[in-house]
Amino acid sequence: MDIPARFMEKIVRTFGDKGREWLDRLPGIFESCVQRWELTECQPLEDLSVNYICFAKSPNHGQVVLKIGVPHPELFTESIVLRLFGGRHVCACHDSDLGLGALLLERIIPGDDLASIPDQSERIRIAADMIRDLPIPLAEGVVGLPTYSTWISRAFSRARREKIVGQRMLTLIDAADSLFREVERSDCPQKVLHGDLHHRNMLMDSSGRWKAIDPKGVIGAAHLEAGRFIITQVGEVDDTDLYANLDEMTTVIGERLGQPRRTIAICGFVESVLATCWSFEDRDEPAHLSESIRRCQMLYDYVRGTAH
């Protein structure tokens, strides 16, 4: 089994000794999955992040994706939320073995992602429809999913306590904390969200429909789903086009959700600050952290210029 060096470095940087131990066990885990699900024609994904992913063929499900991860909360919440979504606007989860940290997922074919759409307005329209349609009502008895407010509280508290982000970032965290309370109102129904709905997690299937993959699984107000798409899109456009693109995103998404543009803008800013805190926790490269802080500031400036 060929495990890319860059993938191993990422695992160790993210999970430390737990990641090293998992890497030692990964070949055995992989073989157990292959035998359990009778997989053939396994082809690992070239651009691995923090999960080992390969395409394969299953006698029961056809073309599938095998996803193996270091056992951690997000792997378990992904399994929960895929079951709750039940294949509605998302890939199906055919089976799982959380003891192995493995999910057997539907492969979306052809699988072109949203970044492949060259027209920015079309991209925004597709994403806005997904942001509107994907969240589901929070049913009574659902357990095991974090709330968005818990994400915020943990990440911001850790950044303040450990003081690894710098004063500029701490100021942005304070602003995001305050603005989050504005959009996470008590009158907003709580829904089950994907939680990581960016361009490369939205894929087109053979019928031309768009489906989401790799949900984190989180509970919160429906408009919070917009944040991840917004900050990813910000990274796709030049600074000269940034504010026009933000105007279009906040207008189109706001119309789909029946929310003011300011609410959607705040969701983008809060998500940007949250993601940057996580990047500090993951010890990302200094250049990436610097760029993330810069984008947080730009989004904050945009929010301040958007009317209530």
Side-chain angles (χ1 to χ4, degrees):
M1 182 183 188
D2 184 23
I3 306 176
R6 187 174 179 181
F7 174 64
M8 291 192 287
E9 291 168 4
K10 175 74 171 178
I11 291 295
V12 172
R13 188 168 69 245
T14 303
F15 298 104
D17 290 340
K18 184 178 180 181
R20 290 188 184 90
E21 293 170 3
W22 179 80
L23 287 167
D24 289 339
R25 294 188 291 109
L26 180 55
I29 296 172
F30 175 75
E31 286 303 321
S32 295
C33 292
V34 168
Q35 292 177 20
R36 171 175 175 150
W37 290 307
E38 303 175 58
L39 303 179
T40 58
E41 302 177 27
C42 298
Q43 295 292 328
L45 192 69
E46 290 185 5
D47 187 19
L48 296 169
S49 180
V50 292
N51 297 289
Y52 186 82
I53 295 173
C54 72
F55 300 130
K57 194 168 184 180
S58 158
N60 297 318
H61 306 292
Q63 298 293 329
V64 295
V65 175
L66 174 63
K67 182 174 185 177
I68 308 173
V70 179
H72 65 288
E74 279 184 15
L75 192 66
F76 302 133
T77 58
E78 179 175 355
S79 175
I80 293 169
V81 80
L82 284 172
R83 175 175 53 81
L84 292 173
F85 283 135
R88 176 186 166 276
H89 301 303
V90 299
C91 68
C93 182
H94 297 308
D95 201 358
S96 64
D97 187 327
L98 297 182
L100 294 174
L103 304 176
L104 189 69
L105 306 169
E106 171 191 7
R107 181 177 179 185
I108 309 300
I109 298 175
D112 297 330
D113 65 34
L114 192 61
S116 69
I117 302 296
D119 183 84
Q120 300 287 1
S121 295
E122 178 69 3
R123 234 186 240 188
I124 292 169
R125 184 194 65 76
I126 293 167
D129 288 344
M130 183 72 83
I131 290 164
R132 176 194 62 197
D133 297 339
L134 185 55
I136 59 174
L138 178 61
E140 192 173 335
V142 171
V143 295
L145 294 180
T147 64
Y148 203 97
S149 59
T150 298
W151 277 1
I152 291 286
S153 176
R154 287 178 178 170
F156 290 5
S157 294
R158 182 173 179 180
R160 288 167 175 144
R161 182 177 65 252
E162 298 187 358
K163 298 179 180 176
I164 59 173
V165 299
Q167 187 55 51
R168 182 184 181 192
M169 190 64 203
L170 287 172
T171 300
L172 291 166
I173 286 171
D174 289 343
D177 211 354
S178 176
L179 287 166
F180 176 68
R181 291 192 287 273
E182 182 179 325
V183 297
E184 181 72 326
R185 304 181 303 272
S186 59
D187 61 334
C188 293
Q190 296 292 285
K191 295 198 172 185
V192 178
L193 311 180
H194 181 286
D196 197 20
L197 199 60
H198 60 71
H199 298 49
R200 288 164 186 81
N201 279 348
M202 287 182 264
L203 308 181
M204 182 185 288
D205 69 12
S206 57
S207 67
R209 293 176 299 183
W210 290 88
K211 287 189 173 183
I213 62 170
D214 292 344
K216 287 182 182 292
V218 66
I219 296 167
H223 45 262
L224 292 168
E225 193 78 280
R228 175 57 62 166
F229 169 75
I230 290 172
I231 66 171
T232 306
Q233 180 66 13
V234 164
E236 297 280 328
V237 299
D238 295 331
D239 285 358
T240 53
D241 300 324
L242 175 65
Y243 289 107
N245 209 255
L246 281 167
D247 283 344
E248 186 173 3
M249 280 192 284
T250 54
T251 298
V252 173
I253 297 172
E255 288 174 352
R256 293 291 196 282
L257 300 182
Q259 294 289 340
R261 287 181 51 238
R262 176 179 170 82
T263 294
I264 307 304
I266 290 172
C267 291
F269 168 60
V270 170
E271 179 70 25
S272 183
V273 174
L274 177 61
T276 303
C277 288
W278 285 340
S279 292
F280 272 97
E281 290 180 15
D282 290 342
R283 300 178 180 85
D284 278 357
E285 296 294 328
H288 178 262
L289 294 173
S290 178
E291 177 61 17
S292 294
I293 294 172
R294 188 181 74 87
R295 287 179 182 166
C296 288
Q297 185 67 57
M298 288 193 301
L299 285 165
Y300 183 42
D301 292 343
Y302 181 77
V303 168
R304 289 190 293 179
T306 305
H308 285 267

